[in-house]
Amino acid sequence: MRMTDDPTIFGRLKEKLIGKKQEWAAAGRGLTGKHAAPGQKLPPGQHEVKDWPVLDLGIQPEVKTTSYTLTIDGAVEHPAVLTWAELMALPQRDQVSDMHCVTTWSRYDNVFRGIPAEVILALVQPKPECRHVIFHSHDDYTTNVSLQQFSQPDVMLAHTWNGQPISREHGGPLRGMIPKLYLWKSAKWVKRMEFAAADAPGFWETRGYNNNADPWAEERYS
Ligand SMILES: Nc1nc2c(c(=O)[nH]1)N[C@H]1C(S)=C(S)[C@@H](COP(=O)(O)O)O[C@H]1N2
Ligand SMILES: [Mo]
């Protein structure tokens, strides 16, 4: 089923929400025109929140660790299908990160635990022509980042937030966490990571949102 022609009430509701965010992109909502130094904690046009809002397409798939697999394929020397046990046996790290959502909220100092990007890279070894990483999720969401953005030291596949397993609504059991980009680049319920030579703009990137998505440069829209 395509996301755009679901006739159910949830489908129509979802369409309304997606339509609203596309309108924001077209109108340049939230843009201040200011730039901020990357060292500055709060990017321009953002405000701090203490709760953790939930944003997604309205489908929150139940993904069980007992049957979970992560597929990593494409332009890599060693494609892999990893079970939950295999993922947990990889080196893990704690990382304190801020989250910046394009809808203008930022949430500071989240302790995420997970598998660092560098561990994934060492495992699968991107081929020389590889330039992009496309995340595919269980709700059919996709998002794309450059290999360089994925390779930053604070990037991880996270399974734990502030000492608790990441909840289903926030993308558990495993989600991307790319703290220096707007949060739509951090895929919830990750199913597959596709390494690629060619870029493939994802769900929001094809609906008016910026391909690069640097909050300090206010790269909200395309
Ligand atoms: N699989 C999936 N990942 C997703 C989304 C989604 O709809 N599906 N929404 C993105 C958007 S737009 C945002 S702002 C963040 C929200 O994460 P949160 O709900 O944990 O705050 O998830 C991102 N990752
Ligand atoms: Mo978002």
Side-chain angles (χ1 to χ4, degrees), residues 109-121:
D109 300 331
N110 303 276
V111 186
F112 283 105
R113 184 168 181 75
I115 303 127
E118 64 213 34
V119 170
I120 299 291
L121 293 168

Side-chain angles (χ1 to χ4, degrees), residues 24-35 43-46 102-104 182 184 208-210 214-222:
W24 291 357
R29 183 182 183 274
L31 287 177
T32 67
K34 295 184 190 124
H35 277 236
Q46 297 291 114
V102 73
T103 61
T104 74
Y182 283 120
W184 86 78
Y209 285 78
N210 194 283
D214 174 357
W216 288 272
E218 270 204 307
E219 292 175 338
R220 297 177 188 275
Y221 311 118
S222 50

Side-chain angles (χ1 to χ4, degrees), residues 21 55-56 100-103 105 141 182-184 204 209:
K21 282 179 97 172
L55 283 101
D56 51 49
H100 307 291
C101 176
V102 73
T103 61
W105 61 265
Y141 184 82
Y182 283 120
L183 196 59
W184 86 78
W204 288 119
Y209 285 78

